[in-house]
Amino acid sequence: MAEASPLVPEERNLIDGKLVGASNGGTFDNINPATEEVIGVCADGTKQDIETAIAAARRAFDETDWSTNQAFRSKCLKQLCDALDRSRELFRSVVVAEAGSPLLLTHAVQCDGYIDAMPYWAELAASYQYERDLSDIQFMGQRQCRIMRREAVGVVGAITPWNFPLYLNLCKLGPALAAGNTVVLKPAPDTPWCATHIGRLVAEETDIPAGVVGIVASSDHQVGAVLSSDPRVDLVTFTGSTETGRRVMAAGAATIKKIFLELGGKSAAIALDDADMGLVAFASSMVCTHAGQGCALQTRLLLPRSRYQEGLELVQAAFEKLAYGDPTDPSKLMGPQVSKKQQERVLGYIEKGVEEGARLVTGGGVPAHLPKGYFVEPTLFADVDPDSTIAQQEIFGPVLCVIPYEDDDDAVRIANNSIYGLSGGVYSASVERSLAVARRIRTGTLSINGAQWFDVDTPFGGYQQSGVGRENGVMGFEEYLETKVMGVPPTD
Ligand code: NAD
């Protein structure tokens, strides 16, 4: 086993500028999903705790100049960037230990990728043009000037899942704070320390005023639900399952909250009949990255009937040689599912796939050589009915569904046969032909022949039930801004 950096716990929440335990003294266990060992505990935030954090965020927004002092915000965010930079190795070990993330991924978006990206938000806080003139209009024979001003929405409630815990917390805190909001973050119970460590850095290594950032970890999902119903919260930014997203949206309706949702996916990769099947097979096995716990992974593979057998055999070979297991081993791209519950959920879907008549080509169970930890074998299904449960629902495990198609129109129809619309891919010898197909797919991001699209300045989000709004980039920043237009008499 490779040597890991020392793991440092952070048990305290950040509420009103103070690092504190839960108001009732409660804690919950943080479990390493690769070993099933309790690595420590975390303050089990209560409803009272999150309400205190919301009150502090409201006060900080209403009574300090945080929302209007761009230079100060930018300075504070730079301090946070520097603190994150100094804490890379700490976050690397936390992400691996609490999320079961492969160490390899921490050198990309799971850790270094977004720590490197954070200065983007510090710079945007200062450089964004918050006010600009609109064109003049004529009103009852009089010229009128107009100014459009963008200003912070107010108190933001941020709710995040566990699969990319550092990235997902930072990609909400970065733009929301840069835009001048105050934020209460409720991380997933499976991965509390990524968030509580950010809270510690905010408290100890930045001048961010008390209340501007609140971090409330809790084992109780209903503590997060307070953010979607409390009238003092103006906007909820949520990343998680579509099912929970619906609840957040419904709860926010009573106070007409702005709701920004990054939800699930069931993305399709389409191999056109002239595709490089070796490349398709390799790329398809990447669905097992982080044990399939990625919203944008391409979990359906559409193969042309004319090359179905050839493609399937190559994908099977790629699946069967996948290295997986101990996430601290730098050669592995796949570790465990995050929890026993997720492991059982994935195994349940595999059972359902078999029941509904899909052909299990490889995998399908708990690997015999990994009895400890919440592992599931890389699993490949062929001849999957595009309307069946495993082709329609998000499994969030290392499971690929291979579906045959007749021609390009049929492939587009099957790819779009989904409530989701997050990502996808097209493979062909012709980029033009790929682009023509990609333009017909109803998703927020697409990759041609495996080309990468993700970056901090690039809008990411979903069509249909994959979400509302876009994260990252100027578009993502503007999700956290209100718009005010002021009519002004001409002065010239
Ligand atoms: P989840 O929906 O179960 O939980 C997400 C968060 O919501 C957690 O913090 C949880 O405590 C909280 N929560 C649960 N019930 C709540 C409620 N009623 N009100 C408010 N908050 C509540 O999702 P998960 O299992 O943690 O994460 C996996 C899901 O996240 C997958 O569906 C995946 O596709 C999605 N995801 C989407 C993106 C994206 O950018 N589109 C990125 C990563 C993960």
Side-chain angles (χ1 to χ4, degrees):
M1 191 183 286
E3 206 171 309
S5 316
L7 182 64
V8 182
E10 178 48 68
E11 300 174 5
R12 298 164 297 173
N13 284 328
L14 173 64
I15 299 178
D16 201 3
K18 296 185 198 69
L19 297 166
V20 291
S23 50
N24 65 3
T27 59
F28 66 103
D29 289 343
N30 194 357
I31 295 170
N32 180 331
T35 61
E36 302 183 27
E37 278 160 15
V38 175
I39 54 177
V41 297
C42 188
D44 199 357
T46 62
K47 284 191 184 169
Q48 186 192 325
D49 291 334
I50 206 153
E51 280 170 4
T52 308
I54 293 169
R58 188 74 261 168
R59 194 199 62 235
F61 186 81
D62 293 340
E63 297 174 18
T64 74
D65 70 348
W66 176 257
S67 69
T68 49
N69 193 338
Q70 296 145 22
F72 177 61
R73 290 205 304 272
S74 183
K75 183 190 112 184
C76 289
L77 282 170
K78 280 187 190 128
Q79 292 169 334
L80 181 59
C81 294
D82 292 343
L84 287 163
D85 189 30
R86 289 190 291 271
S87 306
R88 269 169 209 269
E89 297 315 313
L90 179 151
F91 281 110
R92 198 183 312 287
S93 60
V94 171
V95 168
V96 172
E98 69 179 9
S101 165
L103 184 62
L104 197 56
L105 274 189
T106 68
H107 299 293
V109 67
Q110 195 66 281
C111 192
D112 293 322
Y114 217 75
I115 289 177
D116 292 340
M118 281 296 282
Y120 176 83
W121 300 117
E123 280 150 29
L124 197 56
S127 65
Y128 185 78
Q129 194 184 349
Y130 293 88
E131 250 182 53
R132 67 184 174 88
D133 294 338
L134 298 181
S135 59
D136 294 352
I137 52 167
Q138 290 293 326
F139 181 71
M140 298 182 67
Q142 301 246 319
R143 186 163 69 92
Q144 306 285 335
C145 306
R146 295 162 316 153
I147 298 169
M148 185 173 84
R149 178 176 163 75
R150 306 299 309 269
E151 47 194 30
V153 174
V155 174
V156 169
I159 304 171
T160 52
W162 39 261
N163 55 333
F164 287 82
L166 180 64
Y167 161 66
L168 289 161
N169 292 334
L170 292 178
C171 81
K172 295 199 181 302
L173 286 169
L177 294 172
N181 301 276
T182 59
V183 184
V184 177
L185 169 72
K186 208 294 293 170
D190 313 84
T191 50
W193 290 351
C194 271
T196 52
H197 268 298
I198 297 173
R200 183 182 56 76
L201 298 185
V202 167
E204 293 179 350
E205 299 190 42
T206 77
D207 295 328
I208 295 177
V212 167
V213 177
I215 307 278
V216 184
S218 174
S219 65
D220 180 358
H221 294 313
Q222 291 315 307
V223 166
V226 173
L227 292 172
S228 12
S229 58
D230 193 297
R232 294 168 294 182
V233 176
D234 300 288
L235 179 152
V236 174
T237 173
F238 170 83
T239 298
S241 62
T242 294
E243 200 185 331
T244 309
R246 286 189 197 105
R247 284 194 206 111
V248 169
M249 208 172 198
T255 50
I256 314 290
K257 271 190 217 325
K258 298 192 185 322
I259 305 284
F260 174 16
L261 302 171
E262 294 291 345
L263 307 176
K266 192 75 197 178
S267 304
I270 302 176
L272 297 179
D273 57 14
D274 60 351
D276 172 347
M277 282 298 174
L279 173 65
V280 170
F282 169 75
S284 299
S285 68
M286 291 300 115
V287 75
C288 298
T289 303
H290 193 15
Q293 301 166 119
C295 53
L297 293 170
Q298 296 165 17
T299 53
R300 294 179 294 157
L301 171 62
L302 278 47
L303 290 178
R305 278 230 192 266
S306 56
R307 299 184 65 195
Y308 189 68
Q309 200 47 40
E310 172 201 355
L312 191 58
E313 278 168 21
L314 287 168
V315 178
Q316 178 178 359
F319 261 63
E320 287 174 352
K321 65 168 192 261
L322 260 175
Y324 67 99
D326 175 12
T328 67
D329 174 344
S331 71
K332 307 280 196 293
L333 205 56
M334 169 174 156
Q337 307 312 122
V338 79
S339 62
K340 178 91 188 143
K341 185 172 147 224
Q342 281 302 120
Q343 184 195 38
E344 284 168 355
R345 185 170 173 271
V346 173
L347 292 171
Y349 271 116
I350 293 171
E351 225 175 278
K352 187 85 179 159
V354 172
E355 256 168 49
E356 289 187 356
R359 177 157 62 91
L360 183 61
V361 177
T362 190
V366 173
H369 68 290
L370 294 166
K372 227 176 172 49
Y374 309 124
F375 292 93
V376 174
E377 291 176 306
T379 298
L380 179 63
F381 277 110
D383 312 343
V384 177
D385 174 348
D387 292 320
S388 65
T389 307
I390 58 167
Q392 287 292 324
Q393 295 187 13
E394 187 182 43
I395 298 173
F396 228 54
V399 182
L400 180 68
C401 297
V402 181
I403 303 172
Y405 71 82
E406 305 303 331
D407 55 22
D408 290 8
D409 287 348
D410 193 33
V412 169
R413 187 187 58 74
I414 295 170
N416 286 335
N417 172 18
S418 174
I419 63 164
Y420 297 111
L422 194 55
S423 195
V426 184
Y427 294 82
S428 165
S430 156
V431 170
E432 278 314 305
R433 193 175 161 211
S434 297
L435 282 171
V437 170
R439 289 189 181 103
R440 298 170 66 192
I441 308 298
R442 305 278 301 158
T443 70
T445 50
L446 275 142
S447 145
I448 307 299
N449 287 342
Q452 189 51 256
W453 42 259
F454 180 84
D455 205 349
V456 66
D457 68 357
T458 309
F460 171 62
Y463 283 33
Q464 307 187 95
Q465 295 186 35
S466 284
V468 177
R470 290 291 179 274
E471 204 138 59
N472 287 329
V474 173
M475 215 180 246
F477 179 77
E478 289 176 341
E479 297 282 352
Y480 296 100
L481 291 172
E482 271 288 13
T483 304
K484 177 184 283 174
V485 175
M486 298 176 281
V488 186
T491 50
D492 54 350

